[in-house]
Amino acid sequence: VTTAGPIAADFFDGRSSARHLVQATREGNLLRIAGAAVALEVPVEHANVQPRIGRTPVRVLLPGNALLLAEATELERLLPIPRSRGLAHRLESHLGAVFASLAGVVAAAWLFVQFGVPWAAREIAQRIPPEMERDIATQSLNQLDGYVFSRSNLLPERQAKLRALFAELRGSARGAAANAQLEFRDGGLIGANAFALPGGTVVATDQLVVLLRDDERVAAVLAHELGHLEHRHGSRQILQSSIIGLLSAAIAGDASTLTTVVVGLPTMLIHSGYSRDFEREADRYAYGLLEATQRSPRLLGEALEQLENAHPARTSSCSPDDAPPQRKRHGPTAEDLGYLSTHPATPERIRDAEAAAR
Ligand SMILES: [Zn+2]
């Protein structure tokens, strides 16, 4: 009879949680386990050796729910240890699988950012209480007034006429856009532009009104902004960036990102513009409002064309044109390329407006 061992092991009797220090020996076909309060003989065929998982001790299941734990390097002197067929071991031993799962994680993250985050942002945006959105709008406008805008120089009669047009459009709106307010500001560096602040404030700059001349075209741009309000694009944009920012912060363990997200809201509204999808959605909404008030969707195309002609190097976002004028002198920058790549070209939107008019 061949003998192997003894080896040191831990033994649990299956009835109590007490751990017994034991010595295990193999004698022929018998596994002998001996300790201060343990004396046991188990036929080898009744010792069920579990596959090893990483560097953890190997588990040997014994009759009566008893359990023997031993280091793999020791135990293999007594009993063969089966190769793991478990996922964890396969991942450890196959680099290919590791890279495949890494690719899976990257793909899942991409899908999450591409579809999950916008979905979550839309769902959350619809549940933000209106008064909270109005607070955000008020604070954002205050900040913009502090560093970008100044008081409008439009004549009171012109303002009154545009407000009447705005009220007419709003009269055909439902939901979030139905209670919208219109504000005029001198756009300063921002120039000809219009914004929809979450909570229901549309801001039009003097420069936009002056550039478009025709109030009906201004109305078309305002209808587009009402579309952003109706679909809560502002809140959704903020939420999307915040969710991604917070996730990055969580992953990188950098809390300063959170501060950046919170402080950067007004800046983000002005500079990053909206996504292609948001612009299309707001355009479609504008066509509907224009038609509901006996106007042609073509007005929006004409307005965009005028804005485009004023700054041919730029394409339009919500933000029919949102570049500070002095930046245009330096030709396209990396930022412009990013902007071009994420915003539909104005010619495309002009064509869409023409098509909607037919
Ligand atoms: Zn827009």
Side-chain angles (χ1 to χ4, degrees):
V1 173
T2 54
T3 304
I7 65 162
D10 289 334
F11 178 79
F12 297 86
D13 64 13
R15 292 184 297 277
S16 81
S17 60
R19 182 171 66 124
H20 302 274
L21 300 177
V22 297
Q23 295 209 312
T25 317
R26 177 164 179 177
E27 286 174 19
N29 216 23
L30 276 185
L31 184 64
R32 207 184 290 279
I33 299 167
V38 183
L40 194 69
E41 279 182 358
V42 180
V44 167
E45 62 267 27
H46 291 161
N48 183 0
V49 184
Q50 301 295 294
R52 59 192 295 181
I53 298 170
R55 295 172 182 279
T56 60
V58 175
R59 296 150 54 87
V60 184
L61 308 181
L62 301 171
N65 289 327
L67 176 69
L68 190 74
L69 280 180
E71 294 301 327
T73 48
E74 291 286 290
L75 187 70
E76 65 193 2
R77 290 163 55 197
L78 309 188
L79 298 165
I81 301 173
R83 288 190 65 86
S84 169
R85 273 175 239 98
L87 181 64
H89 188 83
R90 276 219 305 279
L91 289 182
E92 277 177 357
S93 48
H94 297 287
L95 210 56
V98 172
F99 283 117
S101 51
L102 199 63
V105 168
V106 171
W110 182 84
L111 284 173
F112 179 72
V113 168
Q114 199 72 8
F115 301 104
V117 170
W119 175 84
R122 191 174 60 235
E123 292 298 310
I124 297 169
Q126 270 152 17
R127 288 165 179 78
I128 295 177
E131 54 277 14
M132 191 172 154
E133 274 198 323
R134 275 196 292 276
D135 277 358
I136 297 173
T138 308
Q139 285 180 27
S140 301
L141 190 55
N142 284 342
Q143 286 191 46
L144 291 168
D145 280 340
Y147 73 89
V148 181
F149 293 149
S150 40
R151 186 199 295 271
S152 171
N153 293 309
L154 291 178
L155 294 173
E157 307 86 78
R158 187 87 188 266
Q159 289 196 23
K161 199 179 158 217
L162 287 166
R163 276 184 209 285
L165 277 175
F166 186 74
E168 194 187 332
L169 293 167
R170 194 182 54 187
S172 294
R174 279 172 286 108
N179 300 311
Q181 302 295 314
L182 178 61
E183 297 278 346
F184 295 103
R185 292 289 191 277
D186 179 338
L189 287 176
I190 288 171
N193 214 328
F195 305 95
L197 298 174
T201 304
V202 172
V203 183
T205 65
D206 292 0
Q207 290 85 341
L208 178 85
V209 176
V210 170
L211 179 72
L212 293 180
R213 291 187 303 275
D214 179 357
D215 288 351
E216 290 289 313
R217 290 176 184 168
V218 178
V221 172
L222 297 179
H224 169 91
E225 295 308 317
L226 285 171
H228 283 311
L229 286 182
E230 176 64 29
H231 293 290
R232 298 184 167 235
H233 289 158
S235 294
R236 283 161 66 183
Q237 182 91 352
I238 290 168
L239 285 164
Q240 287 181 19
S241 307
S242 306
I243 293 169
I244 294 169
L246 288 173
L247 285 177
S248 317
I251 292 165
D254 178 8
S256 65
T257 309
L258 176 60
T259 324
T260 317
V261 167
V262 173
V263 171
L265 294 188
T267 320
M268 193 168 65
L269 273 175
I270 295 180
H271 290 289
S272 31
Y274 291 115
S275 75
R276 218 172 249 268
D277 290 343
F278 285 1
E279 289 310 306
R280 277 204 206 95
E281 206 169 30
D283 280 352
R284 280 198 301 272
Y285 184 85
Y287 306 152
L289 270 197
L290 291 170
E291 282 176 338
T293 55
Q294 318 305 321
R295 293 178 167 84
S296 168
R298 182 171 285 127
L299 286 169
L300 182 59
E302 290 169 0
L304 291 171
E305 203 162 10
Q306 260 179 300
L307 287 160
E308 172 81 350
N309 290 340
H311 303 292
R314 303 287 297 186
T315 54
S316 173
S317 74
C318 144
S319 308
D321 168 42
D322 74 357
Q326 76 269 32
R327 224 202 274 158
K328 294 193 183 73
R329 296 193 204 110
H330 307 300
T333 63
E335 210 173 306
D336 289 349
L337 291 175
Y339 194 86
L340 280 170
S341 70
T342 54
H343 292 74
T346 301
E348 180 189 325
R349 291 178 61 198
I350 295 170
R351 275 197 307 276
D352 287 351
E354 287 292 326
R358 271 180 244 122

